[in-house]
Amino acid sequence: MKVLVPVKRVIDYNVRPRVKADGSGVDLANVKMSMNPFDEIAVEEAIRLKEKGHAEEIIAVSIGPAKAQETLRTALAMGADRAILVETDDAVEPLAVAKILKAIVDEEQPGLVVMGKQAIDDDSNQTGQMLAALTGRPQGTFASKVEIEGEKVTVVREVDGGLETVSLSLPAIVTTDLRLNEPRYASLPNIMKAKKKPLDVKPAADFGVDLTPRLKVLKVSEPPVRQAGVQVGSVDELVAKLKVLGFVA
Ligand code: AMP
């Protein structure tokens, strides 16, 4: 079976985002961009499924600017077989991404779509669920374990206060949580090899999906600055302060 892995180019998770002076968004000028960390986990999982003999081909897909080719090359260097860039310079919201992914799913017919649970730039946590709804495929979200047996995939999900295990019929959609695996680094020879792997570029306009935003960002603001701490001289003093703050009765 084929495994489709959508990967998004986002601000690198090590970068401390700077909010633009006018509060209209995050400043992306000269900022390091990388693959969304949950998508790296998705690529890794797809590779492991291939290594176990469950998958024959891994296709990475990104919807974004020409520079998202770098993100796709990273996926290829990790072990994906080919890549598709759906090129657009516009910001694309989860519903539009899901609609474009649906068109790709219809064309490629992957047995499994493995994608991130959330993109760390918009924190939407919507695209996988919307893709499942649009394709009518079952979904296993927030996966911390994925196991394929015959026509079924068992997904252990991280839910509030514990784990939930669900069994889905293939074809299915799985979204990854942090503990699913530890993504591999691409080796230098694999980075070189990835340059020769196929990467198709298709204009987003070809998909006939309305990309007009449905949301308007009114304001983005920095989190409140943390107050400096104080050193206490004794446990009694600490308890007294906690009482004042209401943490201790
Ligand atoms: P979100 O719903 O925006 O939090 O994103 C959830 C997941 O959908 C991401 O981890 C990606 O796997 C996928 N995704 C979202 N936007 C894109 C995009 N522009 N290109 C490729 N995949 C995307």
Side-chain angles (χ1 to χ4, degrees), residues 182-244:
E182 214 170 289
R184 69 195 64 192
Y185 288 104
S187 65
L188 191 57
N190 285 346
I191 293 172
M192 300 313 287
K193 268 193 232 157
K195 293 187 180 172
K196 296 204 181 100
K197 289 187 180 176
L199 193 164
D200 265 6
V201 182
K202 302 181 181 187
D206 285 8
F207 288 79
V209 171
D210 180 7
L211 303 181
T212 319
R214 291 162 179 245
L215 298 174
K216 188 172 163 204
V217 175
L218 299 180
K219 191 176 159 213
V220 176
S221 49
E222 298 270 1
V225 181
R226 277 182 70 181
Q227 301 293 317
V230 285
Q231 263 195 342
V232 290
S234 68
V235 173
D236 287 345
E237 195 186 334
L238 174 64
V239 172
K241 280 190 187 295
L242 290 175
K243 276 188 182 159
V244 173

Side-chain angles (χ1 to χ4, degrees), residues 4-10 34-44 58-65 68-76 78 80 82-86 97 101 113-116 119:
L4 186 74
V5 189
V7 294
K8 187 175 187 187
R9 178 177 184 265
V10 297
S34 299
M35 189 188 300
N36 182 45
F38 292 106
D39 304 352
E40 281 185 2
I41 295 172
V43 175
E44 176 65 36
I58 301 168
I59 309 158
V61 54
S62 195
I63 297 138
Q69 289 191 38
E70 291 166 14
T71 315
L72 289 167
R73 289 283 170 211
T74 305
L76 293 169
M78 285 173 74
R82 64 184 167 93
I84 303 168
L85 171 67
V86 179
V97 172
L101 291 177
V113 180
V114 191
M115 55 202 290

